[in-house]
Each structure stands twice: as C-alpha cells, then as structure tokens.
Amino acid sequence: ERCCANASASLCDKDAKYMTMCKDDGDFLPSQVLSAWCDFQAVYPNASVCEASGGCHTWNENGVDYCHCDTEAGCNAAGAKWISQTCQDQVNSYDLITHRALQTAHENGSCAGVTTHGQPIEDYMWAAKTCCATFPKNLCEPQAEYVTPCKSVDDFMPDAIVHDGKTCMAWMKEWGHEYDELQQASASGTCAASLVDWIEGPSRQCCKSFPASLCHKDAKVMTPCKDDHDFLADNELHAWCDFHGNHPTQEVCDARPSCHSWHDDGANQWHCHCDTKDDCVAVGATWESRTCQMEIQGWESYKHRLIQAADANNTCAGSDYHGQSMEDVVSWPAQKCCKSYPATICDKEAKKMTPCKND
C-alpha cells in the first residue's frame, strides 16, 4: 500500500484495482465530507470558555468539565482541533481485500454473495449517499433510481427547506432504515404500518401533492364543505390576542371596550383578554388569526383520507377520527369555511331552516 504506485495491485494480485463505492470512477466525489468532529484530545477548556465559544456546550461529570462543539469555528475558539473525514479518506481506509471484493462485485455486475472479512460488501454502500454524484446509484446497484416519500419522483421537491437550512434532498440522504423501507414499499406497492406513520412528516414538507405520498398515492386535499367551490379559503376560522407574556396594566386593559383584566394570584400579575383586533393592537399586543386554508393545511394525511373516503361513500356515518365522529369533526370548521353551511361533506343536501312554515 505504501510502496506501490497502484496501491491496490501487488505482486500477488497484479490485476487488482483501486475501487470506490460508486458505480464508476467518474461518479466518485472524493472531497465530500462524510463526518466531522471536534477533537479535544482529552484536554477540555473550563465551562465558561466552552460556553463562550460559538456552537459549543459544556457539562460536568464527576467534577470534571467537558465540552462539545458542533461547528469548526466554535471548536477552534475552544482551543481544540476540528477533524473531518472525506470520502477519499473513507476509501483510503479500505484494505486490499476490500478493494478486491469491490472489484469482484463490479465485474459480476452484482454484490450478491460478495463479502469482505465476513461482511457483505453491500454494507460498504452506506457512504454512497454522500460520496456518489448519482446516488442512489452505487457499485452494488448501478441502475438504481430515487425512491422518495412522494407519490412520484416528479412530485418530490429536492430544494425545499425543511429545517436548519437543510433541503429535502440533503435530509433524504441522512435517512438510514427509513430509506430502505421506502425502497421496499416502492417495490412491493405496500407500506408497513411504521412507514405510514413516519412518512407523514417528510411527505408534508417535501411533496407537492401532500397528502398524497408513496403510501397513499391517490390521497388529495379535502375540505369540510360539500364541494371544493363551496370552500371559503380566506375566511377567518378563529383568532386571538397574543400578549407574548407582556400584559398591560389593569387600567390600560380595562380602558378598551372589548378587553377585560383579571388577576393571577399565583403569579401576582394582572392579565388581559381582548376580543377585537383594534383593541388588541391598542394595548400593545398582536392579533393572530387562522384562516380556513391554514386550518386544512394543518390536517394530517389520515384526516384528509378519512374525509375523502366519506365523500366517495356519500356518507360520514360510521366514520370517526380518533374517537370523534366525522360529522363533529367537519361541523366546526364548516360553519365559517363553507358558503352553503349547514351543507357539509357529510350532508350535502342540508339547508338553513327556520321555525316558520316557509322561508
């Protein structure tokens, strides 16, 4: 390994090649970082220095201060060394036996039955997510195609931001057994119960057609109304005055017509409640509201699917949502969100009635 220009080939195996986990050499991304960490070499700064270094936190164990840093800048500020392992480092760590096993799999066109040190060569493909440009293609599956949580690949939004500035594509590359389950579901056409639960979050954030997903490709957005045209998306469903913990004095609160104060004896503090937007803003608070559109956007996929099934069956009878009848579930939002209320998805022919002999 140290003395031969071709580190994989040797006197004993002249045809051996330097191999990666990717489908071919051109697909390999050597400089991509696989993992990184802050190395204190067992010499930790005191708690105040650690906490003052950006992205670091301290803890004490048996009287000893320890420190952990999530960023290179914080690590350097804390006096430690930032260590990173690249894809090239990972491949360089493979011994001759592993390189030969990878070469055998490549020549066979399959990793089936190929092992290195008693371990299936497939186990070495985990790094392909980061190290191979055309992932999910890798040495073991050179023809592999993406499997996403969405009803189709075209429905996936790879550049959508999910959290911490991370895109859906970057997030997907972090999935381990979840991605394996997606592949199995795609191949079999059936999702395990655990995958149905898990897929809710990724499909909501990364799929254009949520509530549709890989597990429920025909699911669609539903409303509590008798039909889509009856839905009043911009109507205010409910609203409230948010003081963010900063309530005005009793006098300021009670001076507004729709506001009233009360005293919290436990906290020894006056609180305020306002029923109108103008009065809420006048006392220094924020008027928050939730529209009908915002309400249905917050519904879980399961709720949309239940209402969709009720619509298809022309009845909500016998259907419940977490122990609540479907009629009750749709009735509350329908009052403010449907033009034709009391007509709803559950009773499309219902009309407003009076106690009189006729309208």
Side-chain angles (χ1 to χ4, degrees), residues 232-258:
L232 301 168
D234 297 326
N235 268 20
E236 191 176 82
L237 182 59
H238 58 102
W240 64 98
C241 188
D242 195 338
F243 291 89
H244 304 287
N246 299 312
H247 291 266
T249 63
Q250 179 186 13
E251 293 75 19
V252 169
C253 177
D254 290 337
R256 305 302 302 185
S258 76

Side-chain angles (χ1 to χ4, degrees), residues 20-23 27-29 32 34 87 90-91 94 122-141 146 173:
T20 75
M21 70 292 292
C22 302
K23 67 183 180 73
D27 202 47
F28 183 54
L29 303 170
Q32 287 287 95
L34 267 178
C87 294
Q90 176 69 14
V91 172
Y94 297 163
E122 289 95 340
D123 291 352
Y124 283 73
M125 297 302 109
W126 65 270
K129 292 180 179 179
T130 301
C131 300
C132 303
T134 58
F135 172 80
K137 293 178 174 66
N138 59 45
L139 183 137
C140 289
E141 298 180 271
Y146 273 119
K173 288 185 176 182

Side-chain angles (χ1 to χ4, degrees), residues 140-156:
C140 289
E141 298 180 271
Q143 304 302 322
E145 297 294 339
Y146 273 119
V147 176
T148 77
C150 308
K151 68 177 186 179
S152 67
V153 173
D154 292 338
D155 199 55
F156 183 60

Side-chain angles (χ1 to χ4, degrees), residues 35-220:
S35 59
W37 64 94
C38 189
D39 189 353
F40 289 90
Q41 298 182 325
V43 180
Y44 295 93
N46 61 44
S48 59
V49 171
C50 178
E51 293 293 341
S53 305
C56 301
H57 67 270
T58 186
W59 73 98
N60 188 281
E61 190 174 314
N62 298 324
V64 178
D65 288 333
Y66 291 88
C67 186
H68 174 85
C69 299
D70 293 317
T71 66
E72 183 174 3
C75 179
N76 293 335
K81 184 178 181 181
W82 187 254
I83 306 293
S84 62
Q85 182 185 35
T86 66
C87 294
Q88 186 67 63
D89 294 330
Q90 176 69 14
V91 172
N92 287 346
S93 72
Y94 297 163
D95 62 13
L96 299 179
I97 295 173
T98 301
H99 278 289
R100 169 47 86 176
L102 288 167
Q103 184 177 346
T104 298
H106 180 66
E107 291 169 351
N108 292 346
S110 170
C111 290
V114 181
T115 63
T116 177
H117 303 292
Q119 186 178 10
I121 203 67
E122 289 95 340
D123 291 352
Y124 283 73
M125 297 302 109
W126 65 270
K129 292 180 179 179
T130 301
C131 300
C132 303
T134 58
F135 172 80
K137 293 178 174 66
N138 59 45
L139 183 137
C140 289
E141 298 180 271
Q143 304 302 322
E145 297 294 339
Y146 273 119
V147 176
T148 77
C150 308
K151 68 177 186 179
S152 67
V153 173
D154 292 338
D155 199 55
F156 183 60
M157 300 185 292
D159 298 323
I161 303 300
V162 287
H163 51 78
D164 299 331
K166 189 176 297 180
T167 65
C168 286
M169 179 60 79
W171 187 26
M172 188 172 74
K173 288 185 176 182
E174 294 177 353
W175 300 339
H177 69 88
E178 298 93 349
Y179 191 80
D180 294 337
E181 288 189 29
L182 285 175
Q183 288 181 309
Q184 293 167 11
S186 178
S188 67
T190 303
C191 290
S194 59
L195 184 61
V196 171
D197 292 337
W198 174 83
I199 210 170
E200 175 79 19
S203 61
R204 177 183 292 277
Q205 298 176 78
C206 300
C207 303
K208 299 172 189 173
S209 303
F210 179 83
S213 71
L214 177 68
C215 295
H216 298 96
K217 296 183 179 181
D218 295 326
K220 63 179 184 178

Side-chain angles (χ1 to χ4, degrees), residues 217-344:
K217 296 183 179 181
D218 295 326
K220 63 179 184 178
V221 174
M222 300 299 294
T223 78
C225 308
K226 66 176 186 176
D227 57 52
D228 292 342
H229 300 296
D230 202 52
F231 183 59
L232 301 168
D234 297 326
N235 268 20
E236 191 176 82
L237 182 59
H238 58 102
W240 64 98
C241 188
D242 195 338
F243 291 89
H244 304 287
N246 299 312
H247 291 266
T249 63
Q250 179 186 13
E251 293 75 19
V252 169
C253 177
D254 290 337
R256 305 302 302 185
S258 76
C259 301
H260 67 271
S261 63
W262 79 96
H263 192 261
D264 182 347
D265 294 332
N268 191 28
Q269 180 183 8
W270 284 98
H271 289 261
C272 186
H273 174 86
C274 298
D275 292 320
T276 67
K277 181 178 180 179
D278 288 346
D279 287 345
C280 175
V281 173
V283 298
T286 304
W287 187 253
E288 303 285 357
S289 64
R290 187 172 179 84
T291 66
C292 295
Q293 183 66 38
M294 293 165 66
E295 174 68 16
I296 67 167
Q297 285 177 337
W299 288 354
E300 62 176 316
S301 175
Y302 176 58
K303 191 171 186 177
H304 284 286
R305 298 197 310 271
L306 281 177
I307 297 175
Q308 186 177 353
D311 184 40
N313 295 330
N314 290 314
T315 180
C316 291
S319 178
D320 71 89
Y321 175 69
H322 300 309
Q324 186 179 15
S325 73
M326 189 55 63
E327 290 88 348
D328 289 342
V329 168
V330 303
S331 178
W332 172 68
Q335 294 178 45
K336 293 187 176 181
C337 299
C338 303
K339 297 176 190 174
S340 305
Y341 182 81
T344 69

